[in-house]
């Protein structure tokens, strides 16, 4: 079975609001997690990553939080924009597997 | 510096024909990964190759599917005797270091295979 999985398949967000996408993993040996964004008709693009010895990492408008106790990570997107509409995947490095993805739709 | 190049972008094959999908990794990358994505689904890992070697093919069907990454030239994913269920988007990714590396994977734009 998959070692990572996203909680909700879809997320609808008002433009300007913050988005939170969640992901659970099962492999305690995973030491590196990555978030990807896939726009329609394109391949996945790297957004941000985090090592297991960290619990938070910030990028431009994005923040990833890692909770190793409950094996959960989340991606937060600040001030969501129409260009953020895409499918978001979390991945862990040990098995190269991806969850099913969360489709984020931004409402104008 | 071109990214991961996949061709063709779209491929139509009749049932029973062979499909050959090509992937040229980013310059300097020697690790290649193939994924399959069915409509409305996530990315399913198929195979991981390093130059001339298959490292992990646990996600690849045992029959009709094969992959190679020769010393020279692109990586090839070959599907023999295609069936309608093979219709999907096939993505290739490459990395500088191997599985578990901190640099993540760079993906190509995919090949969309349609079997008619």
């Amino acid at each position: 079975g998959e070692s990572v999985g996203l909680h909700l398949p879809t997320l609808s967000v008002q433009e300007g609001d913050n988005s939170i996408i969640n992901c659970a993993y099962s492999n305690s040996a995973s030491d590196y997690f990555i978030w990807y964004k896939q726009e329609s008709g394109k391949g996945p693009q790297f957004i941000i990553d985090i090592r297991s010895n960290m619990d938070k990492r910030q990028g431009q408008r994005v923040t990833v939080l890692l909770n190793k106790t409950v094996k959960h990570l989340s991606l937060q997107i600040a001030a969501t924009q129409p260009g953020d509409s895409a499918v978001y995947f979390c991945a862990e490095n040990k098995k190269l597997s991806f969850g099913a993805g969360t489709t984020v739709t931004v409402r104008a | 510096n071109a990214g991961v190049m996949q061709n063709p972008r779209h491929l139509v094959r009749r049932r029973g024909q062979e499909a050959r999908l090509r992937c040229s990794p980013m310059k300097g990358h020697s690790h290649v990964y193939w994924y399959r994505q069915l409509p409305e689904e996530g990315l399913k890992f198929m195979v991981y190759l390093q130059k001339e070697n298959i490292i992990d093919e646990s996600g690849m069907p045992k029959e009709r599917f094969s992959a190679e990454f020769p010393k020279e030239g692109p990586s090839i994913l070959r599907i023999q005797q295609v069936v309608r269920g093979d219709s999907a988007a096939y993505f290739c990714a490459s990395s500088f270091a191997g599985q578990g590396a901190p640099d993540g994977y760079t993906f190509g734009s995919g090949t969309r295979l349609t079997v008619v």
Side-chain angles (χ1 to χ4, degrees):
Chain A
E2 294 179 341
S3 60
V4 290
L6 287 150
H7 290 178
L8 291 174
T10 61
L11 178 66
S12 180
V13 182
Q14 185 69 39
E15 182 178 355
D17 287 352
N18 296 335
S19 303
I20 299 177
I21 306 166
N22 297 301
C23 183
Y25 65 96
S26 57
N27 187 355
S28 299
S30 299
D31 55 12
Y32 177 63
F33 302 90
I34 314 158
W35 280 98
Y36 288 90
K37 171 186 179 183
Q38 185 179 25
E39 295 175 273
S40 181
K42 297 183 180 179
Q45 290 179 292
F46 173 93
I47 303 174
I48 192 168
D49 57 11
I50 189 168
R51 286 202 169 280
S52 61
N53 61 355
M54 304 170 68
D55 52 24
K56 181 178 180 179
R57 190 169 186 209
Q58 287 185 294
Q60 188 177 17
R61 283 201 307 118
V62 294
T63 300
V64 55
L65 300 177
L66 176 62
N67 185 329
K68 293 180 287 295
T69 303
V70 295
K71 297 181 187 172
H72 177 273
L73 66 158
S74 66
L75 178 71
Q76 301 178 3
I77 305 173
T80 311
Q81 302 170 359
D84 295 327
S85 293
V87 180
Y88 290 81
F89 296 96
C90 61
E92 54 90 18
N93 65 316
K94 291 298 184 184
K95 197 57 184 173
L96 303 165
S97 63
F98 286 71
T102 291
T103 300
V104 173
T105 303
V106 181
R107 306 189 305 271
Chain B
N1 181 20
V4 176
M5 304 300 293
Q6 288 188 250
N7 66 83
R9 287 296 305 274
H10 300 275
L11 181 62
V12 180
R13 283 288 177 266
R14 295 184 188 281
R15 281 178 294 170
Q17 289 185 320
E18 178 180 282
R20 289 168 65 90
L21 289 62
R22 297 175 193 79
C23 170
S24 296
M26 277 189 70
K27 187 176 181 180
H29 286 191
S30 61
H31 300 262
V32 165
Y33 315 82
W34 285 94
Y35 289 83
R36 176 164 63 178
Q37 186 175 38
L38 294 169
E40 310 300 325
E41 293 190 12
L43 290 150
K44 301 294 185 185
F45 167 75
M46 298 181 74
V47 61
Y48 161 35
L49 309 103
Q50 194 179 2
K51 278 291 186 181
E52 300 185 270
N53 293 304
I54 295 175
I55 308 300
D56 183 348
E57 56 182 348
S58 59
M60 200 153 69
K62 295 289 187 289
E63 298 179 353
R64 301 188 299 108
F65 286 73
S66 63
E68 62 177 9
F69 189 15
K71 187 176 180 181
E72 301 290 338
S75 175
I76 305 288
L77 179 67
R78 180 185 303 166
I79 312 172
Q80 296 177 303
Q81 299 174 333
V82 296
V83 300
R84 289 230 170 96
D86 297 332
S87 295
Y90 291 83
F91 290 97
C92 169
S94 73
S95 67
F96 175 73
Q99 181 182 359
D103 61 339
Y105 312 116
T106 303
F107 281 84
S109 297
T111 292
R112 279 145 188 85
L113 172 66
T114 302
V115 180
V116 297

